[in-house]
Amino acid sequence: MPQILSYPSYCPNRFDLRALLLFYDNIQTIVPDEDQSHVRDFGRLTELEGFSEQLPVKFIDPEYGLFKWEYEKKTYKSFIRLAKQCSDEIPTETKKTIKDANEECFISANSNNLVEHLLLNGWSCIAKAKITPRTRENLHELGVLINMYELTDPATGVVYQENPILMPKPLCDFAVSRLTRDIAQEGNLIPATLKDMAHFASLYRGDIDTPDQRQILLTSLIRVSIPNNLEDIEPAAYWDLRQKYSRVRERLNSLVQSTLVKHDLDGSSKIEEFLGNTENVVKTLENEIDQVSKKIKPEWMENAITFSADTAFTLAGAYIGQQLGDYQDALAGMGLGMLSAKASKFFTTENNDLTYHIAHMRAKITRTTYQPNYEVPSYMI
């Protein structure tokens, strides 16, 4: 099972988090030490804690020793060039306001008109610890960085990020993508996001390996195939659904790899070529998933069919045993019939097609009558 590094945010939103956890055992994100306690209190995480022995999201502190991209001359020149372009696009009056704001040292995100204006015009917040002091100084001189005090949830007033900085979004995307790449390579992780695929061009710098190909194909399918009401399912029902597909997660690498080979995507080593080919293939796979999911029977019908099959195998086994011997042989035949029923059910539900499993998952999610599958007490068996 691959270990993934989620980006660009501290923690994916509820839908993205749940969708990723359906396919991966756990995810890791880049969160500075001072903000980790805030992120652990996010509702979308705490609601899942009761169903897992440990939080399914782990945090990595962005240590400065991993900022390799800032010491790659060509890469860093590209970043500074982009910063200058962003600076040139800022009106003179706004630049003066930014300079005055920075002289206040730290400003609040919730009470400053300038911050509100910039957030509405293509700027984003990023953790201060994700940018080295040297780079922050360069950005400060270009007037494309504002130091802030903290970020709070407007609805609750709860702090979730301390000492962030505000920058034009293209700079944030560039910095976070390159930092993610450095940390992923150091920790043998695979970057993953359900956001805009434009990030990938910056992330992979032209070349892409097989593990990353698998991840991009899978997250592309997740975006178009998992229904939005996933985030509305009760936590207990969601966790039960996730447990049902634990065997699929175990086989995920081989499932995605066979899909890559089947659609001839594994030969694309350049990121631009791979993304273009993937976009076309995903549309085809999405249609396949639509067709398969419509054919999947409701769960109550599946249970009825399974019960009928179990009964038929058991009675057949008992009859054969009775024909061969006495009452004890009939009981033995009944046991053999039950084992045959279980074996039949196991082999008929095994499927090596990734689209089948995603379609099956989609069908489960979209059924509003879905209920957690509690174990039947032994005295009822």
Side-chain angles (χ1 to χ4, degrees):
M1 172 61 61
Q3 297 294 310
I4 65 169
L5 180 61
S6 174
Y7 76 102
S9 61
Y10 275 5
C11 179
N13 61 34
R14 178 176 270 103
F15 173 83
D16 290 357
L17 174 67
R18 289 185 169 197
L20 288 171
L21 286 175
L22 284 176
F23 293 92
Y24 297 101
D25 286 336
N26 59 68
I27 62 177
Q28 301 187 50
T29 67
I30 306 171
V31 184
D33 284 338
E34 63 265 26
D35 291 333
Q36 291 182 9
S37 60
H38 303 317
V39 179
R40 284 192 182 91
D41 291 335
F42 284 0
R44 54 188 180 275
L45 290 178
T46 57
E47 68 183 10
L48 300 180
E49 280 188 290
F51 306 99
S52 177
E53 294 181 0
Q54 59 182 4
L55 197 67
V57 178
K58 300 177 182 178
F59 306 128
I60 299 176
D61 182 65
E63 300 176 1
Y64 288 149
L66 296 176
F67 286 80
K68 298 177 182 177
W69 73 269
E70 293 195 18
Y71 299 95
E72 297 172 356
K73 291 184 178 180
K74 186 176 179 180
T75 302
Y76 197 69
K77 283 183 178 179
S78 298
F79 179 72
I80 295 301
R81 190 183 308 119
L82 178 61
K84 289 178 179 178
Q85 292 175 1
C86 293
S87 178
D88 292 341
E89 295 171 0
I90 302 173
T92 304
E93 188 61 31
T94 304
K95 279 186 178 180
K96 183 178 181 304
T97 309
I98 291 174
K99 181 179 179 181
D100 294 340
N102 275 325
E103 289 178 355
E104 299 178 19
C105 190
F106 292 98
I107 60 178
S108 170
N110 299 333
S111 61
N112 188 280
N113 292 332
L114 172 63
V115 172
E116 294 177 359
H117 170 74
L118 293 175
L119 287 172
L120 291 172
N121 287 273
W123 286 47
S124 297
C125 291
I126 184 173
K128 181 180 178 181
K130 291 184 178 181
I131 306 288
T132 60
R134 175 182 72 130
T135 300
R136 292 201 301 270
E137 183 61 31
N138 290 335
L139 297 176
H140 187 278
E141 291 177 359
L142 291 170
V144 290
L145 178 148
I146 295 179
N147 292 304
M148 297 168 59
Y149 175 58
E150 62 185 20
L151 288 179
T152 60
D153 185 332
T156 63
V158 175
V159 175
Y160 65 88
Q161 190 169 346
E162 297 182 13
N163 301 327
I165 54 181
L166 188 65
M167 302 192 308
K169 189 175 186 301
L171 294 178
C172 291
D173 290 346
F174 191 114
V176 170
S177 294
R178 297 306 172 92
L179 174 63
T180 300
R181 186 193 69 207
D182 288 344
I183 293 178
Q185 290 178 345
E186 185 76 14
N188 196 26
L189 305 170
I190 301 177
T193 180
L194 296 182
K195 301 303 181 188
D196 188 0
M197 289 178 69
H199 283 286
F200 294 130
S202 174
L203 194 68
Y204 294 111
R205 295 186 301 177
D207 296 321
I208 182 167
D209 296 327
T210 299
D212 301 302
Q213 289 178 337
R214 288 196 290 258
Q215 181 273 314
I216 290 178
L217 176 61
L218 182 60
T219 52
S220 299
L221 284 173
I222 291 174
R223 274 198 300 271
V224 300
S225 302
I226 301 299
N228 292 332
N229 66 312
L230 173 68
E231 61 180 318
D232 300 324
I233 297 177
E234 289 296 320
Y238 164 76
W239 201 258
D240 183 66
L241 174 69
R242 183 176 185 269
Q243 294 300 95
K244 283 177 179 289
Y245 287 88
S246 59
R247 290 188 62 195
V248 176
R249 284 195 296 280
E250 291 175 2
R251 299 166 51 226
L252 198 60
N253 263 339
S254 60
L255 287 172
V256 181
Q257 184 62 35
S258 63
T259 305
L260 283 172
V261 174
K262 177 181 177 182
H263 294 275
D264 198 27
L265 288 173
D266 56 328
S268 306
S269 60
K270 297 297 181 183
I271 181 64
E272 292 82 3
E273 178 187 0
F274 180 78
L275 291 179
N277 294 340
T278 300
E279 185 177 356
N280 296 328
V281 169
V282 166
K283 291 179 181 177
T284 301
L285 295 176
E286 183 182 8
N287 291 331
E288 291 181 10
I289 292 170
D290 287 340
Q291 296 303 315
V292 174
S293 60
K294 292 175 183 177
K295 296 178 182 178
I296 295 175
K297 300 177 180 65
E299 189 169 12
W300 65 267
M301 188 179 295
E302 290 176 359
N303 291 338
I305 293 173
T306 300
F307 176 77
S308 299
D310 286 353
T311 303
F313 271 105
T314 303
L315 292 177
Y319 176 76
I320 292 172
Q322 189 177 30
Q323 295 301 311
L324 295 176
D326 55 14
Y327 177 72
Q328 288 186 347
D329 291 322
L331 290 179
M334 184 180 295
L336 178 63
M338 292 176 68
L339 289 175
S340 300
K342 297 299 181 183
S344 172
K345 182 179 178 183
F346 174 80
F347 287 114
T348 55
T349 56
E350 194 72 22
N351 196 302
N352 290 321
D353 189 357
L354 177 65
T355 57
Y356 166 84
H357 290 291
I358 294 181
H360 202 273
M361 192 174 291
R362 174 196 277 186
K364 290 281 188 181
I365 295 169
T366 52
R367 290 175 192 143
T368 56
T369 57
Y370 175 76
Q371 296 293 329
N373 183 28
Y374 298 110
E375 293 185 5
V376 178
S378 58
Y379 58 80
M380 294 181 63
I381 297 177

